[in-house]
Amino acid sequence: MAQKQNQDLERNAACLPVATGHLRPAMGDDDPKGPQRNDDEGDGGSDGGAGGGNATLLEPKTRVKKPSMYRVLLLNDDYTPMEFVVRVLMSIFKKSQAEAEKIMLHVHQHGAGQCGVYTYEVAESKVHRVLDYARKNNHPLQCTMEAE
């Protein structure tokens, strides 16, 4: 009975201090077995009950997923001046004069051009900044983002 209560307490404890001062990791969806015991340093795991061993818990391995990347594209129109597009590329996308002119010409000749590749939040922010800046300057310049 005491062993079952100890197991229930261990299952329900999300982050409790362990005797070594480390935090016990919460059981997550990543590891259905929960934290793993290392019985090499303690009671050996064979006392069958409520003994006071020093078994340590090993943290489950966490895997970090790379964020999805998004292309930010400028779209051509017949009204926005080329100089304005270059200014947008230099101020918002931090392009050099030569890079900005090259991208601007690509947009003008092909209908769209890539300004950069960013994480979702950064790409979304840049798209909004371009659209706001164009609107404030009375230009119909369009900017979009697409998954890479």
Side-chain angles (χ1 to χ4, degrees), residues 6-16 23-37 57-62:
N6 284 342
Q7 289 173 347
D8 289 340
L9 285 175
E10 284 183 12
R11 250 187 250 121
N12 292 331
C15 279
L16 297 175
L23 291 179
R24 185 178 293 179
M27 292 193 329
D29 296 333
D30 296 335
D31 189 3
K33 293 184 275 183
Q36 302 296 312
R37 294 184 74 81
L57 295 175
L58 301 177
E59 294 184 25
K61 292 182 181 178
T62 57

Side-chain angles (χ1 to χ4, degrees), residues 15 21 32 43 54 60 70 81 88 95 107 109 114-116 118 133:
C15 279
D43 62 359
N54 266 353
Y70 292 81
V88 165
K95 301 294 183 184
V107 170
Q109 293 168 352
Q114 179 175 305
C115 304
Y118 307 96
Y133 188 61

